[in-house]
Amino acid sequence: MVTEIDRMLAANREWLAQFPGDLPVAPARGVAVVACMDSRMPLFGMLGLAVGDAHVIRNAGGVVTDDTLRSLAVSQHLLGTRAIVLVHHTDCGLQKASDDEFADLVESRTGHRPPWSARAFDDVDADVRESIGVITAAPYLLSTEVRGTVYDVATGQLREVS
Amino acid sequence: MVTEIDRMLAANREWLAQFPGDLPVAPARGVAVVACMDSRMPLFGMLGLAVGDAHVIRNAGGVVTDDTLRSLAVSQHLLGTRAIVLVHHTDCGLQKASDDEFADLVESRTGHRPPWSARAFDDVDADVRESIGVITAAPYLLSTEVRGTVYDVATGQLREVS
């Protein structure tokens, strides 16, 4: 049976025709993007990024966890980025269940209650502001600019959260 | 001054001409990609993904942390994915410093020693296998297929790790 992963590996052969060649490891535009994992957000297209332009950090919700801070610290201290842009979005899966409902669901299906919370949220603008706050409060970074946005998955438009 | 983030927000207006329209929140191909944040990996192009096809989880190294497991659990339990493909790569920033050197560097620049390690590594194939092992050992998931790859940033080729 050919699986979806087999299809992705095969698709890589077509990519070689567009491959731009070897580039430096440090992002050319000095930016790290922190975004939700949502399948409807092709960040390179949405933000006009070329290959090599920016680090892309993504997780469920685009929230700032210890792992996000680790990635941002590596990005800034080892690879020279200084700006951070957050990209959350409308119609997020994490707005559809509470942390308790999620833990109950996982436990009911697997027999194991996860030790971490889902990080569900209601208000996406508030969630962006909270994420900015966690980044600016972290003493390990060298950021010169931290901004947050919400992507509208129904229209393709990105809106800055002020 | 126009910053790089200003340029990204402006580039979003050009994206609207290509925007494919509203799509379901659940990924169409039932796959979650776990990859390094490296700026040279445009995963949609590299894997032949269309908008809406797959979740994309990315951090420094593409390593599997608690936050990665949280994201995968949300992907599988709330949004129906079952396959996972890992994408690490050659010439990674995390191969260029040890965890201790990284902590020393952050402390020397900020006055604060981070409580998390950088997750540096030497052998990328071994790092992929370790990440697969962490996923398969986690009791909270419903994965039916977990595979790992290494992307060669000098050639654009993706190689499966067996």
Side-chain angles (χ1 to χ4, degrees):
Chain A
M1 190 185 80
V2 175
T3 71
E4 292 295 344
I5 293 178
D6 290 324
R7 287 181 57 209
M8 292 178 193
L9 295 176
N12 174 247
R13 287 194 287 275
E14 289 157 48
W15 165 247
L16 299 180
Q18 300 168 60
F19 177 67
D22 205 0
L23 291 166
V25 61
R29 292 170 62 181
V31 178
V33 181
V34 177
C36 182
M37 68 181 178
D38 192 278
S39 66
R40 298 165 294 180
M41 295 211 293
L43 292 166
F44 281 71
M46 283 166 50
L47 300 174
L49 301 178
V51 178
D53 271 356
H55 280 140
V56 183
I57 299 160
R58 304 183 66 167
N59 65 20
V63 295
V64 178
T65 65
D66 273 358
D67 193 47
T68 315
L69 294 176
R70 175 187 71 85
S71 297
L72 288 170
V74 168
S75 176
Q76 297 191 343
H77 290 283
L78 294 184
L79 297 164
T81 69
R82 290 292 180 273
I84 299 169
V85 59
L86 306 174
V87 187
H88 294 210
H89 64 94
T90 60
D91 188 40
C92 188
L94 287 174
Q95 290 173 304
K96 300 177 198 302
S98 72
D99 286 346
D100 282 345
E101 287 165 353
F102 176 76
D104 289 345
L105 179 65
V106 174
E107 188 173 13
S108 71
R109 285 180 174 167
T110 67
H112 296 273
R113 196 166 187 89
W116 17 261
S117 97
R119 303 284 302 251
F121 63 92
D122 291 316
D123 180 330
V124 67
D125 282 38
D127 202 54
V128 169
R129 287 192 200 97
E130 183 184 328
S131 296
I132 292 175
V134 176
I135 288 173
T136 52
Y140 315 107
L141 301 179
L142 306 169
S143 325
T144 54
E145 189 179 11
V146 183
R147 292 161 68 178
T149 66
V150 173
Y151 181 69
D152 186 329
V153 296
T155 68
Q157 286 189 306
L158 197 65
R159 171 176 60 80
E160 183 160 14
V161 175
S162 54
Chain B
M1 190 183 82
V2 176
T3 70
E4 292 295 344
I5 294 177
D6 290 324
R7 287 181 56 209
M8 292 177 192
L9 295 176
N12 175 248
R13 286 195 287 274
E14 288 156 47
W15 165 247
L16 299 180
Q18 300 167 61
F19 177 68
D22 205 0
L23 291 166
V25 61
R29 292 170 62 181
V31 179
V33 181
V34 178
C36 183
M37 68 181 177
D38 193 278
S39 66
R40 297 165 295 181
M41 296 212 292
L43 291 165
F44 282 71
M46 283 166 50
L47 300 174
L49 301 178
V51 177
D53 271 356
H55 280 140
V56 183
I57 299 160
R58 304 184 67 168
N59 64 20
V63 296
V64 178
T65 64
D66 274 358
D67 192 47
T68 316
L69 294 176
R70 175 187 71 85
S71 297
L72 288 170
V74 169
S75 177
Q76 295 191 344
H77 290 282
L78 294 184
L79 297 164
T81 69
R82 291 294 181 270
I84 299 170
V85 60
L86 306 174
V87 186
H88 294 209
H89 64 94
T90 60
D91 188 40
C92 187
L94 287 174
Q95 290 173 303
K96 301 176 198 302
S98 72
D99 286 346
D100 282 345
E101 286 165 352
F102 176 76
D104 289 345
L105 178 65
V106 174
E107 189 173 11
S108 72
R109 286 180 174 168
T110 67
H112 297 273
R113 197 167 187 87
W116 19 260
S117 96
R119 303 285 300 250
F121 64 91
D122 291 317
D123 180 331
V124 66
D125 282 37
D127 202 54
V128 169
R129 286 192 200 96
E130 182 185 328
S131 295
I132 291 175
V134 176
I135 288 173
T136 51
Y140 315 106
L141 300 179
L142 306 169
S143 324
T144 53
E145 188 180 11
V146 183
R147 292 161 69 177
T149 66
V150 174
Y151 180 69
D152 187 330
V153 296
T155 68
Q157 286 189 306
L158 197 64
R159 171 176 61 79
E160 184 160 13
V161 174
S162 56

